[in-house]
Amino acid sequence: MASAIIVVIFVVVIFLLGWSWRQQLGGRRAALAALCRLLWLSPLVLALWPRLNTIKTAAEIAPRVLHILIDDSDSMSGATAVQDILWQAEQRCRELSCKVRRRYLSELSAATRRSYSPLSLVLPDWLAEVGDDAWLLLTDGGDLQPQLGWQAVLEVESVSDAGMVLGFAGEINKNIRLAKIDLVPLAFENTPADVQLLLQRTPAQQQERVQVQVTLDGKVLAGHNVVFAATMDKARLTLPVPELARGMHLLEVEILPPGGEKILWDNSRAALLEVLPNTVGVLHLLGSPSWDGSFVRRYLKSEPRYDLISFFILRDPMDDSQVDERELSLIPFPVDQLFGEELENFRVIIMQNFSLSRFLQPQHQQNLVDFVLRGGALLYIGGPRALLYEDIITSPLTKILQVDKRSATLQRQHSNWQSDLDFKLRFAQPTAEQRALASIYDDWLEMQEELLAFAGARGLNRLVLSDTGYTPLINAVDKQGVELPLLVASYPGKGRAIWLFSDTFWRLAMAGAARYSYHRFLQLAMTWLLQRDLQRPLHISNFVLSHNRNLDVVWRLELQGAATKYFALSEQWQLQLCGQRQDWSQVNVATVGPQHKTLSGRTAVGDKQKCRVKIAGVDKAFGALQAESVALLPRLYKDEEVGRAPTHAEDLAKLLRVPFIVDHEKFSSKLSMFMSRHFAQAAFAPHQQEKTEQDYFWILNEPWYLLLLLFLPAEVLLRRWRELG
């Protein structure tokens, strides 16, 4: 305000001064002289508004930090190697000029003093505190809620991979654990569902028989005896679950403990299964007979939920045999019927080694693209006949698969197929947004052990894709280390598509875990493709019950679907949790995306072990909406009940993609290598300090300041013009 008053006074004074010169100089010269004075004096006025300059100064050189979280629960007592590791870390940090910052479980949670191992309660906040720094975790894997699983409590994308887990194993006790349970989350009425299990045991010394059961609300649905041979430490089992009623079901799988087993917490796990109505129409088109086509068809025929129509193209639709069709044993491809009349009766179209430009007329190609854009699903598998020049440059297919047209690998009138290209698989690194759009990436990531071990892959459609519109899933790595897209997912319009640029995956069924891995791979792909089409406008996913640091029950769920944007904390919407209506004021809501919200809060479940959640509301656009899910409250285990669980710690390391070391003899060398890798260079990080100053003379640094000074001699000339003449 004061500055504005000064400016007004300044302008008024200049005006009066010019008025006083009017009699002496005349009106025009007086006005010009006053304007010149106003301009060359303006820098003095501009100094009333100083410019803020931010100056960065190196206040200090801060050493890099090594964060160490130490599990000091009861089960870790007697772990003498802990002190040796801490001493070695301190000594090595002195050599590398870094700094060790220790934290103990007992410092971060009082539950440790109540004979619990609250690792899952402490770990998320501690890792967030670590940030991008290097870290070590010293633990025996024990946790107070081990059945919950690490994925339910950790956001892996935000965790630094500059870490290592050092595990501590105890004496080898007899243990059989349910290591993995695979259940496709969608099933259909009048159709059984398969539960695929992986069992592990220690020690593997003698033949043993155990019984596995699948139960629902205490009722046994299926059971089977598993026999371990004398040296066998793993066993896979597929249990068919009988037909279930439509709705959401929480299945519990349990290994009945054999005699002498002390560790029981890892004998059971739960999985959610949603039963939907009807079967799914699938159209499978194969450009020419092949091994890969036979294996895909074998999988589709083994799933009763799919109503399959399959065509192997042995005659082109344009063939003119010059004879009556009734005299031929092969009929032409019924393209008009499939892509004109029957297209809307299918939910998924699988095109394998198939060229659109060769077998489909432009109108049929457009019908296919419209089918996907309206919400259909497409699985496109490559091969020698797939993705010809016309398919990816001039075809309507470009609306759902955007290829870089300038790529040198595309040759007109020729396929980009490289039959002699040998490659290995490597998971791509999509962004968080891309992963959210294609959850199939996380599903396949759980199969990384089988997929990355897959050898013998050969043959690839070599393409360069555009930068947007898809999520890279798995890449092919050739012998020179060059990565090429192998598997990508796209989401054109309302539909979904998966693109596999090779016909070599049938070999996966012939290696390793044989048909199990191959079927699981295709199951997950089909589930993701169908999910958008089958899900309602509003649905709940990832509903989890757990405990916080005070051992209160907390819950979390994700609300998704097209109607999510209409969800609001109002009287039109209700939330029922464990049979009790929740107050919206006690619910935390976070928006992840336009069709994705996260809800969380605290609740009291009493003595209930199973809790059902239901969200219901009314919206003008969709009418009455309802979504529900169910979850188990994980039981709290005392430290003595869990004991040392190095396999649980190993699961954590795999999830975080960091090394896991359990052999004490290797601790010293591995720790030294780890610290050298992370601190050998730039052990000190400059810690910059920002300082903001007011610069009153900023105009002196401006190039136009000199132009203003030119008005000073101009004023003199105007006022002294007559004297100069």
Side-chain angles (χ1 to χ4, degrees):
M1 186 65 181
S3 300
I5 294 174
I6 294 175
V7 171
V8 172
I9 295 174
F10 173 73
V11 173
V12 170
V13 169
I14 296 296
F15 175 78
L16 295 176
L17 186 62
W19 184 264
S20 67
W21 291 339
R22 187 172 59 87
Q23 296 295 332
Q24 178 184 356
L25 305 177
R28 182 177 296 178
R29 287 174 57 197
L32 289 174
L35 178 61
C36 289
R37 177 163 294 193
L38 177 68
L39 290 174
W40 71 263
L41 287 177
S42 59
L44 299 177
V45 179
L46 291 175
L48 297 174
W49 286 274
R51 178 178 290 176
L52 296 178
N53 292 333
T54 301
I55 303 173
K56 292 184 177 181
T57 59
E60 60 177 338
I61 301 297
R64 298 275 298 276
V65 178
L66 173 65
H67 299 264
I68 304 180
L69 178 60
I70 304 146
D71 182 353
D72 59 342
S73 58
D74 294 346
S75 60
M76 282 285 286
S77 60
T80 55
V82 171
Q83 296 304 320
D84 294 338
I85 293 171
L86 295 177
W87 180 84
Q88 182 181 349
E90 294 279 1
Q91 291 295 113
R92 192 75 178 117
C93 256
R94 290 193 185 96
E95 299 172 5
L96 298 172
S97 302
C98 57
K99 180 181 179 181
V100 174
R101 183 172 297 168
R102 304 184 188 181
R103 301 300 296 272
Y104 290 86
L105 275 187
S106 56
E107 297 176 7
L108 301 175
S109 175
T112 312
R113 294 188 288 273
R114 297 166 60 181
S115 299
Y116 289 111
S117 288
L119 190 59
S120 62
L121 309 183
V122 167
L123 203 56
D125 291 340
W126 181 74
L127 288 173
E129 177 186 325
V130 167
D132 295 328
D133 293 338
W135 56 270
L136 291 176
L137 173 61
L138 280 60
T139 180
D140 59 2
D143 188 56
L144 78 174
Q145 45 188 2
Q147 293 175 325
L148 184 61
W150 298 112
Q151 286 181 319
V153 297
L154 288 175
E155 295 182 5
V156 181
E157 294 81 3
S158 60
V159 176
S160 168
D161 59 359
M164 185 164 65
V165 178
L166 303 181
F168 293 81
E171 60 178 312
I172 300 178
N173 293 317
K174 179 179 180 179
N175 182 38
I176 298 179
R177 75 175 188 128
L178 188 57
K180 191 175 183 181
I181 173 171
D182 283 331
L183 176 65
V184 176
L186 299 179
F188 299 86
E189 285 183 313
N190 305 318
T191 303
D194 288 340
V195 182
Q196 296 167 336
L197 310 173
L198 173 62
L199 283 66
Q200 294 181 342
R201 69 164 183 163
T202 53
Q205 295 179 346
Q206 59 184 4
Q207 182 174 321
E208 191 170 17
R209 181 192 301 268
V210 295
Q211 187 177 27
V212 181
Q213 292 182 347
V214 180
T215 62
L216 175 63
D217 297 329
K219 179 183 177 182
V220 178
L221 299 179
H224 191 79
N225 289 329
V226 179
V227 178
F228 286 92
T231 59
M232 186 177 173
D233 61 350
K234 294 182 180 180
R236 294 186 182 274
L237 173 66
T238 299
L239 276 176
V241 176
E243 304 167 7
L244 297 174
R246 187 187 306 182
M248 199 77 67
H249 304 282
L250 189 65
L251 304 181
E252 298 179 60
V253 183
E254 182 180 8
I255 303 174
L256 300 184
E261 184 179 14
K262 298 180 180 179
I263 304 172
L264 303 179
W265 64 267
D266 54 4
N267 283 34
S268 61
R269 298 180 75 168
L272 196 62
L273 177 67
E274 184 178 5
V275 178
L276 301 173
N278 302 324
T279 57
V280 176
V282 178
L283 175 62
H284 179 213
L285 302 177
L286 186 62
S288 64
S290 67
W291 281 106
D292 200 33
S294 299
F295 275 82
V296 170
R297 188 171 185 273
R298 183 182 300 177
Y299 160 73
L300 295 171
K301 294 290 287 184
S302 69
E303 292 285 350
R305 73 190 71 182
Y306 300 135
D307 184 9
L308 175 65
I309 295 179
S310 184
F311 277 95
F312 297 77
I313 299 178
L314 300 177
R315 283 186 60 197
D316 291 350
M318 293 73 70
D319 284 348
D320 185 5
S321 57
Q322 301 296 327
V323 297
D324 195 311
E325 289 289 335
R326 291 177 296 180
E327 299 181 22
L328 300 176
S329 60
L330 298 176
I331 64 171
F333 178 42
V335 60
D336 290 328
Q337 184 179 1
L338 290 177
F339 288 91
E341 304 172 12
E342 302 292 338
L343 195 59
E344 296 304 321
N345 294 328
F346 300 106
R347 306 282 280 279
V348 183
I349 294 179
I350 301 176
M351 290 187 160
Q352 194 164 5
N353 195 17
F354 190 93
S355 169
L356 272 69
S357 59
R358 181 174 180 182
F359 299 118
L360 302 183
Q361 296 297 321
Q363 183 57 45
H364 298 142
Q365 298 179 38
Q366 186 60 52
N367 290 346
L368 170 65
V369 171
D370 292 342
F371 165 81
V372 177
L373 294 175
R374 288 195 298 266
L378 174 66
L379 173 58
Y380 196 102
I381 303 175
R385 293 192 176 193
L387 299 169
L388 301 183
Y389 180 88
E390 290 81 1
D391 294 336
I392 51 183
I393 298 298
T394 61
S395 165
L397 190 68
T398 57
K399 297 179 182 179
I400 55 178
L401 178 66
Q402 298 179 3
V403 177
D404 184 355
K405 298 181 180 180
R406 296 171 298 177
S407 170
T409 60
L410 299 178
Q411 299 178 4
R412 189 173 182 83
Q413 303 296 340
H414 295 285
S415 168
N416 47 58
W417 174 255
Q418 292 187 266
S419 59
D420 58 346
L421 181 65
D422 297 323
F423 59 87
K424 295 182 179 180
L425 275 58
R426 179 180 297 168
F427 275 85
Q429 299 295 325
T431 64
E433 181 181 359
Q434 288 175 321
R435 290 181 69 166
L437 289 169
S439 59
I440 182 65
Y441 179 85
D442 296 310
D443 296 332
W444 277 338
L445 199 60
E446 295 183 6
M447 293 183 60
Q448 62 177 324
E449 184 176 349
E450 300 101 303
L451 293 177
L452 296 183
F454 174 41
R458 172 180 284 233
L460 184 72
N461 292 107
R462 188 161 185 160
L463 298 177
V464 177
L465 304 179
S466 64
D467 296 332
T468 59
Y470 70 97
T471 296
L473 303 172
I474 300 176
N475 291 333
V477 184
D478 63 17
K479 294 180 179 179
Q480 286 72 39
V482 178
E483 291 195 31
L484 302 167
L486 173 64
L487 262 162
V488 301
S490 60
Y491 12 84
K494 297 180 180 179
R496 290 184 172 186
I498 291 179
W499 309 85
L500 172 55
F501 303 123
S502 178
D503 65 351
T504 192
F505 264 72
W506 65 274
R507 299 177 186 272
L508 182 64
M510 307 296 291
R515 195 175 302 176
Y516 166 82
S517 297
Y518 180 76
H519 278 211
R520 180 63 178 165
F521 175 81
L522 289 179
Q523 272 184 334
L524 293 172
M526 293 292 287
T527 300
W528 184 79
L529 287 171
L530 288 165
Q531 196 169 14
R532 183 187 297 266
D533 194 28
L534 295 178
Q535 285 176 345
R536 295 173 295 276
L538 190 73
H539 65 276
I540 294 172
S541 62
N542 298 327
F543 174 42
V544 176
L545 293 169
S546 60
H547 296 84
N548 61 13
R549 292 193 182 186
N550 298 322
L551 302 187
D552 298 325
V553 177
V554 294
W555 59 273
R556 182 181 181 276
L557 62 84
E558 295 180 30
L559 193 63
Q560 294 175 289
T564 305
K565 59 184 177 181
Y566 300 105
F567 169 78
L569 305 182
S570 64
E571 295 181 356
Q572 282 74 32
W573 291 84
Q574 294 182 4
L575 170 63
Q576 257 196 350
L577 188 70
C578 303
Q580 300 178 359
R581 183 173 176 178
Q582 301 296 304
D583 186 354
W584 287 123
S585 62
Q586 304 299 316
V587 177
N588 303 316
V589 180
T591 300
V592 181
Q595 298 184 10
H596 191 181
K597 294 182 185 293
T598 299
L599 279 65
S600 60
R602 296 170 54 184
T603 187
V605 297
D607 57 354
K608 296 179 181 178
Q609 292 300 311
K610 184 182 293 186
C611 179
R612 189 173 293 272
V613 63
K614 183 183 295 185
I615 295 178
V618 178
D619 178 76
K620 294 180 181 179
F622 290 94
L625 295 167
Q626 181 173 302
E628 63 178 317
S629 187
V630 62
L632 285 178
L633 176 65
R635 178 193 160 191
L636 292 180
Y637 286 84
K638 291 281 189 179
D639 230 20
E640 59 185 12
E641 297 177 280
V642 178
R644 293 189 178 180
T647 54
H648 197 48
E650 185 178 8
D651 291 342
L652 173 63
K654 285 182 178 179
L655 179 65
L656 299 179
R657 302 184 194 177
V658 298
F660 173 73
I661 311 297
V662 72
D663 188 348
H664 290 194
E665 295 181 358
K666 296 181 179 179
F667 276 178
S668 178
S669 60
K670 294 292 184 180
L671 178 60
S672 180
M673 292 171 57
F674 171 81
M675 296 185 65
S676 297
R677 183 167 64 252
H678 291 286
F679 297 107
Q681 296 180 351
F684 283 89
H687 176 67
Q688 290 187 330
Q689 184 179 20
E690 292 187 350
K691 183 179 180 181
T692 302
E693 295 181 344
Q694 290 183 332
D695 184 5
Y696 291 93
F697 305 102
W698 60 271
I699 194 173
L700 299 179
N701 298 321
E702 299 295 333
W704 45 269
Y705 167 69
L706 297 176
L707 295 176
L708 295 178
L709 291 183
L710 292 177
F711 288 98
L712 175 59
E715 179 199 340
V716 174
L717 290 174
L718 286 169
R719 292 177 55 197
R720 300 287 187 264
W721 187 257
R722 291 180 181 175
E723 299 176 10
L724 292 175

